[in-house]
Structures are given as C-alpha cells and as structure tokens.
Amino acid sequence: MADRKAEKSNRPGWQEDLERVGLVRRVLRPALQARKWYGADWWFVVFSAVLLVFFVLVALFPQWFAPYDPKAEVGPSLLAPGQPPEGYILVTRTADHITDLRQVATSEHTLGFVLGSPASQALRERLAEFAAEAQAAGEEVNYSPRPKRYATLDEALQALVAGRIDGVIETRSTVEAAIDQYEGLEISASLRERGDRGFILGTNQLGQDVLSRIIWGTRIALLVGFTSAIVAVVIGVPIGLLSGFIGGPLDRVLTLIMDSLYSFPGLILAIAIAAVLGPGLINIIIAIAALYVPTYFRIVRGQTMSVKQLLYVEAARSLGARRLTILTRYILPNVIPSVVIIFSVNVADAILTEAGLSFLGLGLPPDTPDWGIDLARGQDYLRRAWWLITFPGLMVALVTLGWSMLGESLSEILNPRLARS
Amino acid sequence: MAKDILLSLRDLSVEYPTRAGILQAVSQVSLDIYRGEVLGLVGESGCGKSTLGRAIMRLLQPPGYIAGGQIIFDGQDLMGFDAAQMRDLRGRRISLIFQDPMTSLNPVQRVVEHVIEAIRVHEGPTSVEAARARAAELVDRLGITAERLDDFPHQLSGGMRQRVMIGLALALKADLIIADEPTTSLDVIVEAQFLDLLQELQRDFGLSILLITHNIGIVAEIADRVAVMYAGRLVELADVHPLFHEPRHPYTQALLASVPNIKLVGDDLKIMSGSPPDLITPPPGCRFHPRCPQAFDRCRLEPPPLQEIQEGHHVTCWLY
C-alpha cells in the first residue's frame, strides 16, 4: 500500500484528477498500457476502432452526412464526380419581356421540355421554393405550369416561336448552340439562382446522388452485418456450450447438423435460404445468421470440451458447484474471448454476403440505398460511369477491412500464448 | 488419538471400460480413515491411488465407474446418495486438493471470488462483505496478505495458489481433505513450507487428510498411518513407524529399499525388477507374484486376503 501511495505522489496533479474519472481509470489507462505491450497490433486496433466508430455514426445518423435524399432524382443522369451540374435556363420570346421564372410559372402557363431531360425535376425543386416563398408572404399563387414535352429541342423552340407555349427549359450549352437559328427568342432567366450543393461523387443513371446513397447504404450494411452476427452468436454459442458440455448422443446429432450446414459454400447456402424465404430485411438477416451459426457452434463446442477437462472445472466440482454454475461461471468466461474475435470477423463477412445477395437481387427492394444494389445497377454502366461501382465497392472494402483488422489484431492481443502470465 | 472412524471403504472397486477390455483400476480396497489423522496413500504411478481418491468423492472421469463396494462416510453410505446430496457433501464435508495448482483456479476469477463462490454454494446467499471478511481471515491464516485477494490466479506464485486451494478446502470446514499429490509441482522449499502449514492446519482444525503421493519422504514426515497400493490392490496398511521400520509385504520392502538414502554405501540401492502388471489382464493370485522374490505356488493361484498380523498392521500376503 505504501508503495502505491509513493508512486501516486510522483505523478503530476492533472493525472491524479483524471484518475478520479472512472472511464479514464478503467478504459483509457489499460488501453495505454496495452500499447506498450502489443505495439503494432495496438495501433491496428485503434485505427480500425476509429474507422468503425465513424461508420457507426454515419449509419446511425445518415441525415447529418448525406446532402440529398438517396431515393430522389436530384440531378442530371450520370454526372461525373466533382463536375458541376449544368444550369438550366428559361428561353422565352423577346416580345413578352420575361425577366423572372415566376412570371411564366403559374397554372395559366405552359412550359416545354425535351423528352427525358431532368429539367422538369430541376424545375419542380425551384417551383417548390417559389411556393414556399409565396406561402410565407401570404400570397395565393399556384405555381404549377402545364408541361409539354417535345422529342427534340428544335421542336420545342419552334413551338415557342409559334406561341403555343410560354417558355422552354433546357441546359444552357444546348440552348446557346441552337438559339441563333430562331428569331425573337432570348434567354431570360437561370433556374438556379442560389449556390448549388453539387455532386461530390457524381450521380447515377437515375440522377440520384451517389454520395447520399452510399451514406444511407452504410445503415443497411451495418444493420444487416451486426444483427445477423448477433443472431448467430445468440443461437450458436448456447448450443455449442450445451453440446460440448453434455456430450453423448446430443453432441453427435448437433455436430452432424452443424457440420452439414458448414459444408455448404457460404454464399450458396445464403442464396438458397434467401430464395426460400423471399426478399426483405428480416429474411436476409435470417439467411446470413444461419450461415454463421455453425462457426460459433464449432469453436464454442471445441473450447468447451477442452475447458471442461481442465483442473479448475474439476476443482469447482469438487467444491460442490452445480452444473449450471460451472457452465456460466467457469466455462463461458473462458470461451468468450474467441467468440469476440470471430464476431468481428463475421460482421465483415456478413456485410460482404449481404452485398452479394443484394447484388444478385435476392435481398432488398430495388430502390433501397444499398451497396450491393448500387453495385448491381452500376455494372451496366461500367465503361461510361466508373464512379457508380467504385464508391459502393470502396465502402464495402473499407468497412470489411475495419472489422477484419479489429478482429485479427484483437486475436493477436487476446491470444493466450502472448498474454503475460 | 481417538479411534473414531470418519470414512470407511469396504471392498471398493473401480473399473474403466477400454477397447481392450475392462481395466480394474482399484479392486476390492477396504480401508478406514480415522478422525483427525493423516493417512498417507503411496504406490507407483498407475497403481490406482488417485482413482481411489476421486472415487471417494464420486468424481471419476467418465467412462470410469465404481464397480462395487461401499463408501461409508460418517455413518452414511455415499453410494446411495443422489447427485444433489453428493454436491452438498463435496466441499462442505470432503474437499479435494489437486496436483497442479497452476491450473486448479479459474483464470478469469479473482481469488476472493473463488472463496465467495465456495461459501455461497453451500451456505446460500451471503453478503459480499461477510464472505470477504471470512476470506481475508482464511488467507491470513495461510500466510497470504488480504491485498492479494483481488489478484487473479496468474498473479500468484505456485506455492500461493496451492495455499489458496487449501484455503478453499478449509473455507467450509471440511472434515476430510483428499490431497492428490499436492506438492508435485512445487520446489522442495515451498513443499516443506506447504507441508508444515498442512500439518499445522490439520492439528488446529482436527482435520482428517488422505495424502495421496508417490513421495515416500513426505509420507514419513507427516502421516500417522500409511497405506501402500500395488496394481489396484491394497498391499499393506500400518502405522508409520512399523511400516518404515519393519515392512512386511515384499512389495513394501522393495519399495523402501529402492528409495535413495544418504546413508547408503556402494551398490546398496536396490532396484525392483520387472514392471507393474497390465490391469486389464492382471496376473492370477497375488498381483505382485511375478516380481516377488519370495513367491511360492499358492501366490500364483489364490489372491491373498488382507489380514491383521499385528495390532494395526494389515498385510495382503501369504507369507504371514
């Protein structure tokens, strides 16, 4: 005791203050000590833990990080990463003296578009802003012009010249190339007056923001990965414990069942189960969990069988401990470390499997922001739009790497051979 | 010493089924342990002494089983006890100390948790403070400071762990302690300290101890009586002095003659010829006859019974 006190008084005051905080004493200091013992592995754990904490944050609050609604078609189709979206402009007849989009945007007007152009989406956003402004000002203006679509820009501009419509909305570059051929038309307004958020990672073929989609996809990936690994632990660990502890015919039967499950190639089994159960989040989780139950079963059963032979278990028995006590207080705590390690590796694997199932169309509804679905959709545009598959793929790789690294380095640290004794 | 019988074994046999046939690890051993005595049980490896110790607690490693006989503890036949009764008995009345203190403690529990658990198992819910106080008192008696109670087993030395094991056995004031080679993994100095402690505790608490060992020296030092086993049979049982001064069974004689002694000169150290028999097909008659220098025809045909040839001196041999 005296030694400890002397040691304490040599330390700076701030450290003693920190000592009083439970978190520091219980978590931070052992962690810092661990750094000295384990070197590189400690850094791996810290790095992967930071990475994973970030991913978990993103998964919990995607709305804080995502600039757009992942399901909305917010921009032009297949816009490359970092490229500014082209601004849309309004073309009107010079004679009408239009200076503001509002003037031609009420329900009495008709506006022309080229078929398939995302201009109508851009207009809709702008109109929503107008409506909000009008409501705030107490005015009653119905901003909903009748749309009219034309096969080409030329047809639209001819219609405008002829007076059948009040304006045409198209991108600035295409309009500027065509407008000289028509008399009496002018570019009167730009649709985007405020600064635009842009598309950092580009847009997909539907004009959805890739960044927002992968951010929302994190939620699905971690949800499925975590939940299925937890379900597998909850089922696999108790069965493994019982099987290893009780032994006999029960053990034989359970081992046979689990080994036959284990002998299937992973994804094939998941596909089979998912195909039988049908699509849906819960079903995917069940399919993946079923895949990993045998892993836990085998490890826990094996460890239980070796731990139950150990002298301290027998010593507990010779002191009159019940079977349940032996199982929960002697065997389980000595088996848990290996479960923790497999768990983190399994989460990584489950995320991969989930992406695989979604890629094959066995997973979630097709409009869900999910990495596997994005990859599957993006592969059709592999040559034109590399960003469609690169970023969801990168996310899968990063998250998987984070979990695997955590698992591997934890196993190094928790490895009894390396532990100080 | 009051000759009050605490434990009485009657014709106890233990068998292990193996591929080659049934192995008789212990056959028809009859033996009494008195209250407050130390009974040394000696014999070479594989003679069934550890099996006997475990059989008394009914803690045989499967597939071993008790093939016959009675274990009468404090007037009750343990063979008639069910699992719950046995559990209640273990630790509270009979405790077992194992050979290897390094692995006898749960690596994920602190020392104090072991003691608390032992107390709770037998005495129901006990407050942590009360159990802790008892544990502190107990380890103090064993020469371990109370601070070490919060250590994990890997932080203790081998001698300390073995003392903790005794502490666990004593926590519930067991009447009989079965010590199965308790000092094998300790060095001689720690061993001597440990034996002193064991003897002191035995006197203070009036314990009975069944000391299972192959170390004759330990037995000579602390046992009151000695039982010698050979090939699953009890061959000689006597007070410690008569046994060491005038051993009667040829096996005991050979065993004692083969213990190195500083007073021996030249080639005086005797070596026992042959090796112990296969217990699946033991030799007929006396199991020692193939190696016995004094064997005669009767030894090869009929197994000798245990007979009392002097007051308290029992031998299984046709010579007497």
Side-chain angles (χ1 to χ4, degrees), chain B residues 13-26 48 50-52 54-55 59-67 279-280:
Chain B
S13 298
V14 177
E15 294 178 350
Y16 287 97
T18 66
R19 264 171 228 267
I22 288 173
L23 185 148
Q24 275 218 326
V26 175
S50 290
T51 302
L52 185 72
R54 276 163 201 240
L59 273 178
L60 287 168
Q61 297 274 19
Y65 59 93
I66 296 173
L279 291 178
I280 293 169

Side-chain angles (χ1 to χ4, degrees), chain A residues 235-297:
Chain A
I235 297 172
V237 171
I239 296 182
L241 270 178
L242 283 181
S243 185
F245 190 63
I246 295 172
L250 176 80
D251 182 43
R252 291 274 178 112
V253 171
L254 283 174
T255 309
L256 188 71
I257 295 172
M258 291 296 167
D259 278 354
S260 48
L261 271 181
Y262 199 71
S263 63
F264 277 97
L267 198 57
I268 307 283
L269 181 65
I271 288 172
I273 299 172
V276 169
L277 293 175
L281 194 62
I282 305 277
N283 289 346
I284 269 220
I285 289 170
I286 294 172
I288 297 175
L291 201 61
Y292 297 121
V293 167
T295 325
Y296 293 101
F297 173 84

Side-chain angles (χ1 to χ4, degrees), chain B residues 95-155:
Chain B
S95 274
L96 195 54
I97 299 176
F98 291 95
Q99 184 172 344
D100 186 3
M102 297 302 180
T103 55
S104 302
L105 295 167
N106 186 352
V108 299
Q109 279 188 350
R110 294 171 196 278
V111 171
V112 69
E113 289 174 87
H114 282 91
V115 184
I116 292 175
E117 192 166 287
I119 294 172
R120 281 188 177 160
V121 161
H122 291 288
E123 296 176 9
T126 315
S127 77
V128 174
E129 289 75 31
R132 224 191 135 81
R134 271 179 70 179
E137 197 182 314
L138 200 67
V139 293
D140 185 50
R141 192 82 180 70
L142 304 170
I144 299 173
T145 51
E147 289 165 40
R148 305 304 297 265
L149 275 177
D150 285 320
D151 283 353
F152 285 98
H154 74 263
Q155 293 168 301

Side-chain angles (χ1 to χ4, degrees), chain A residues 163-180:
Chain A
R164 290 198 293 277
I165 53 176
D166 302 301
V168 170
I169 293 173
E170 221 353 277
T171 55
R172 185 178 287 273
S173 55
T174 46
V175 169
E176 276 170 355
I179 199 165
D180 295 343

Side-chain angles (χ1 to χ4, degrees), chain A residues 312 314 319 322 329-330, chain B residues 54 87 103 106 117 122:
Chain A
Y312 58 81
E314 211 172 332
L319 282 172
R322 293 164 179 285
R329 301 198 41 116
Y330 287 79
Chain B
R54 276 163 201 240
R87 249 192 340 252
T103 55
N106 186 352
E117 192 166 287
H122 291 288

Side-chain angles (χ1 to χ4, degrees), chain B residues 250-264:
Chain B
Y251 173 69
T252 317
Q253 290 166 356
L255 190 68
L256 292 177
S258 64
V259 175
N261 187 321
I262 201 160
K263 289 178 193 155
L264 286 178

